Amino acid sequence: MSRPILKSFALLLTLLGAAATGSPAWAAEEAPSAAGPLPTRSGHLPIHGLQLYYEVHGELGKGKTPPLLLIPGAFGSTEAVKPLVAEFVKKRPVIVFDQQGHGRTADTSRKMSYEQFGDDAAALLRALKVERADVLGYSQGGGAALQLAIRHPKLVNKLVSLAATYRKEGWYPSVFKAIESLDAKMFAGSPIEAAFKKMNPDPKAFEAYVEKMKTLNINDQNISDAQMRAIPAKTMVIIGDADGVKPEHAVAMFKLRGGGSEEAAASGQLTTIPNARLAILPATSHLAVAADPALLSSLVTPFLDDVPPLQPAW
């Protein structure tokens, strides 16, 4: 496989859409601009050795609807998720933040792990005095969302896992081959590199960051079946049918979260609100799984709002 093809393949499978042409807004890092919704409040908070950048859209603490915490994927930032923020803020407050080394949160010598990212998210919610939030995490952000739900269950009301896995085996092997090929040179001139170097102009620091990200994503995480079953939050699992996540892994996650009903199978109808939901989007890749915010909202919002399942008209 030639280097240009390998580069494009790697970027596609590891969410590095900013360095590729025509990537959806969710995956592509963008320079900060006035485009998209403006936050009600934003800034940096001292969290676990980081100066964590966050944004709040809408008013926290007003009404009964919990806020939605959005956690972007690998190399994504608050700028990248603006289309999703614009869609979801129509019905609920939205919180977004830049993970370590992403966007306006500078990298440090701190080790990266999904557990640590989950703890960062928990600390942010507590700093904002949010007692419970709905959480939607995409890819790497989905892994962090799972850790948040496992390690800080009282903070998570509903959980949406978007194109994410709970164990390394959930990814196709080609994903890891693509990640292994990455290096800092592939990001030359990209908005991802520009955003990082705005916080730290040292070229060696960016090289070290890319290596840390490779290690994080190649090692992935190893959540047990028992841990998955023990998550108290109702859960929705969403992937694309051409995702880097294997469909059978998404089904396994759905079942571990209480999905599937023999009673519904026997009667032909679902009469109660289920604890878990599963959506596999047709003709949809890993990057494109969140490329249509309105579609995603149409699936996720009824779940967050506990809308009763449809009943047959006859």
Side-chain angles (χ1 to χ4, degrees):
M1 188 179 290
S2 70
R3 186 173 179 82
I5 293 175
L6 182 59
K7 175 181 177 180
S8 296
F9 183 61
L11 296 180
L12 176 65
L13 290 177
T14 58
L15 318 185
L16 313 186
T21 301
S23 300
W26 166 271
E29 180 78 25
E30 299 171 359
S33 69
L38 295 175
T40 307
R41 52 194 278 211
S42 64
H44 290 82
L45 288 170
I47 288 178
H48 300 149
L50 304 175
Q51 286 297 314
L52 192 81
Y53 178 77
Y54 76 96
E55 294 182 357
V56 175
H57 296 259
E59 296 295 333
L60 298 178
K62 291 188 177 181
K64 296 181 179 180
T65 303
L68 175 65
L69 176 67
L70 286 176
I71 309 181
F75 299 97
S77 74
T78 54
E79 297 297 320
V81 298
K82 280 189 174 182
L84 286 178
V85 172
E87 187 63 37
F88 281 106
V89 79
K90 295 174 183 177
K91 290 200 65 176
R92 64 197 75 241
V94 177
I95 303 167
V96 292
F97 70 98
D98 290 339
Q99 299 175 85
Q100 178 182 346
H102 294 61
R104 281 167 272 194
T105 299
D107 192 21
T108 69
S109 59
R110 192 186 77 165
K111 180 182 177 181
M112 287 184 177
S113 72
Y114 286 95
E115 292 84 355
Q116 183 64 69
F117 287 173
D119 288 350
D120 292 344
L124 172 63
L125 291 175
R126 292 189 176 108
L128 295 175
K129 295 181 170 49
V130 174
E131 295 183 359
R132 287 175 70 81
D134 296 324
V135 181
L136 187 158
Y138 172 56
S139 195
Q140 176 182 296
L146 284 169
Q147 291 294 339
L148 172 60
I150 290 168
R151 297 164 69 86
H152 308 274
K154 292 183 179 180
L155 289 173
V156 180
N157 184 54
K158 301 275 186 66
L159 175 64
V160 181
S161 173
L162 181 62
T165 66
Y166 64 98
R167 281 206 288 268
K168 183 174 181 177
E169 66 196 42
W171 299 99
Y172 285 107
S174 57
V175 172
F176 301 105
K177 292 179 181 178
I179 296 172
E180 288 170 358
S181 74
L182 295 176
D183 59 42
K185 293 179 181 178
M186 289 185 174
F187 295 92
S190 72
I192 291 171
E193 181 190 53
F196 185 95
K197 290 188 174 180
K198 186 176 290 186
M199 305 300 298
N200 187 340
D202 183 359
K204 292 184 178 179
F206 185 66
E207 292 174 8
Y209 165 67
V210 173
E211 290 303 312
K212 286 166 71 173
M213 287 290 288
K214 285 175 62 175
T215 299
L216 173 70
N217 285 283
I218 288 173
N219 290 338
D220 202 44
Q221 55 186 341
N222 186 29
I223 298 173
S224 70
D225 287 0
Q227 287 176 305
M228 287 296 295
R229 290 192 189 97
I231 294 173
K234 289 183 178 180
T235 304
M236 185 169 193
V237 178
I238 305 173
I239 68 164
D241 62 358
D243 210 314
V245 180
K246 299 175 183 176
E248 57 267 32
H249 185 78
V251 172
M253 188 186 302
F254 169 66
K255 289 182 176 180
L256 288 170
R257 298 301 309 118
S261 170
E262 285 199 26
E263 181 181 344
S267 66
Q269 58 183 326
L270 191 61
T271 58
T272 59
I273 297 172
N275 287 327
R277 303 189 188 201
L278 172 66
I280 299 180
L281 307 181
T284 303
S285 68
H286 193 64
L287 282 177
V289 76
D292 187 340
L295 173 62
L296 195 63
S297 177
S298 72
L299 298 172
V300 172
T301 297
F303 165 66
L304 298 181
D305 291 345
D306 267 336
V307 174
L310 290 174
Q311 300 301 326
W314 39 269

